[in-house]
């Protein structure tokens, strides 16, 4: 992959990383000791502990945010890994076969780890 292609994909990945950080920050807090670890929150919802309905709503929101946070963290890590691969010269190489990943696949998913087997 040439330098122009790497710059193109790096820009796409950096934009995706910023978007994922924004989404994560709306539903989770970043662990200061481990920046790639996010803990789901309730988005600042305050409840009266005596109101069982409010507590139930809070718990439901937390459960939903945990599921979304988990998925976003996976995507975030994939993007970070792809950026690291650009820096170390292994971007666009299938982790299974060692063959180049098709450009169309990388354009659709710049953090793709594997090629599509035909």
């Amino acid at each position: 992959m040439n330098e122009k292609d790497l710059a193109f994909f790096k820009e796409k990945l950096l934009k995706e990383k910023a978007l994922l950080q924004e989404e994560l920050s709306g539903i989770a807090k970043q662990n200061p000791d481990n920046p790639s670890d996010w803990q789901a929150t309730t988005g600042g919802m305050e409840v009266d502990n005596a109101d069982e309905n409010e507590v139930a709503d809070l718990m439901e929101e937390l459960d939903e945010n945990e599921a979304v946070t988990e998925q976003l963290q996976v995507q975030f890590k994939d993007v970070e890994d792809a950026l690291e691969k650009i820096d170390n010269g292994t971007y666009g190489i299938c982790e299974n076969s060692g063959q180049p990943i098709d450009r169309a696949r990388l354009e659709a998913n710049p953090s793709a780890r594997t090629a599509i087997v035909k």
Side-chain angles (χ1 to χ4, degrees):
M1 190 170 292
N2 64 43
E3 291 298 317
K4 183 178 176 184
D5 289 339
L6 289 173
F8 170 78
F9 287 115
K10 185 171 187 173
E11 182 179 337
K12 283 185 75 137
L13 287 161
L14 288 171
K15 286 179 182 178
E16 185 174 348
K17 182 178 178 180
L19 179 61
L20 288 166
Q21 282 179 309
E22 184 178 327
E23 289 180 40
L24 278 163
S25 67
I27 60 169
K29 290 189 305 187
Q30 197 169 22
N31 181 344
D33 297 327
N34 181 1
S36 59
D37 180 36
W38 294 78
Q39 301 297 313
T41 65
T42 57
M45 181 178 176
E46 294 184 26
V47 298
D48 177 357
N49 288 335
D51 187 335
E52 290 179 14
N53 290 329
E54 286 182 3
V55 171
D57 289 345
L58 181 71
M59 296 307 294
E60 183 178 345
E61 181 180 359
L62 184 59
D63 284 345
E64 290 172 5
N65 286 351
E66 283 176 345
V68 173
T69 297
E70 188 174 306
Q71 180 58 38
L72 290 174
Q73 280 189 114
V74 169
Q75 290 175 280
F76 188 81
K77 173 118 175 61
D78 286 348
V79 168
E80 285 188 319
D81 289 349
L83 287 165
E84 187 175 311
K85 287 178 180 183
I86 287 175
D87 291 340
N88 69 26
T90 59
Y91 181 76
I93 305 297
C94 177
E95 291 180 359
N96 293 332
S97 69
Q99 298 299 312
I101 299 172
D102 187 64
R103 181 180 175 90
R105 176 158 169 74
L106 291 172
E107 286 179 5
N109 178 10
S111 60
R113 296 174 172 275
T114 58
I116 296 175
V117 179
K118 297 178 184 178

